[in-house]
Amino acid sequence: MTLEQLLYKLAEDYNRRSVLVALDREKVKDGACDDVTLQWELDLLNSTEEYLEKMAKKVNVKLIFDYREQEVYYGGRRRKLTYSTVSIDFSTRNH
């Protein structure tokens, strides 16, 4: 696996975990998820972000973080999830 492939994999993991954290924040409101589980997932998300930043620095690329909203149907009603996403900008890379 190349460094670029690893970077893409970390970005993919970050984006999936971010949506999961947003959904579990909603579940906490209903008592369907406990604070300990949510904190554990937040810690994983933060660790993934740290690894992404270190890897991006190593391969000289820029990470672009953005916030998104998505409506989902959960628990008998519509809910708006707000979560962050990351994409990779290779234009800053030296050739």
Side-chain angles (χ1 to χ4, degrees):
M1 178 177 277
T2 67
L3 290 179
E4 291 82 7
Q5 290 170 325
L6 182 57
L7 190 60
Y8 275 119
K9 176 67 175 129
L10 286 170
E12 183 180 284
D13 288 350
Y14 178 89
N15 291 337
R16 275 191 265 150
R17 285 188 173 126
S18 183
V19 172
L20 180 61
V21 166
L23 181 58
D24 282 347
R25 279 189 176 123
E26 288 297 315
K27 288 180 177 181
V28 166
K29 294 176 187 177
D30 294 338
C33 179
D34 60 28
D35 289 330
V36 173
T37 301
L38 179 59
Q39 187 59 52
W40 180 76
E41 290 171 356
L42 280 168
D43 290 345
L44 285 174
L45 183 64
N46 290 336
S47 293
T48 304
E49 184 176 347
E50 287 176 26
Y51 297 142
L52 264 170
E53 290 172 349
K54 288 177 184 178
M55 184 67 70
K57 186 175 182 178
K58 183 167 184 67
V59 297
N60 196 29
V61 297
K62 181 179 177 185
L63 299 176
I64 302 167
F65 289 91
D66 190 20
Y67 287 95
R68 296 191 182 173
E69 291 183 345
Q70 176 183 349
E71 281 196 15
V72 297
Y73 189 79
Y74 169 77
R77 62 186 173 128
R78 290 194 185 280
R79 298 164 190 257
K80 187 189 316 183
L81 302 182
T82 302
Y83 55 93
S84 60
T85 62
V86 65
S87 59
I88 305 164
D89 179 3
F90 283 94
S91 68
T92 59
R93 192 169 195 184
N94 295 332
H95 293 280

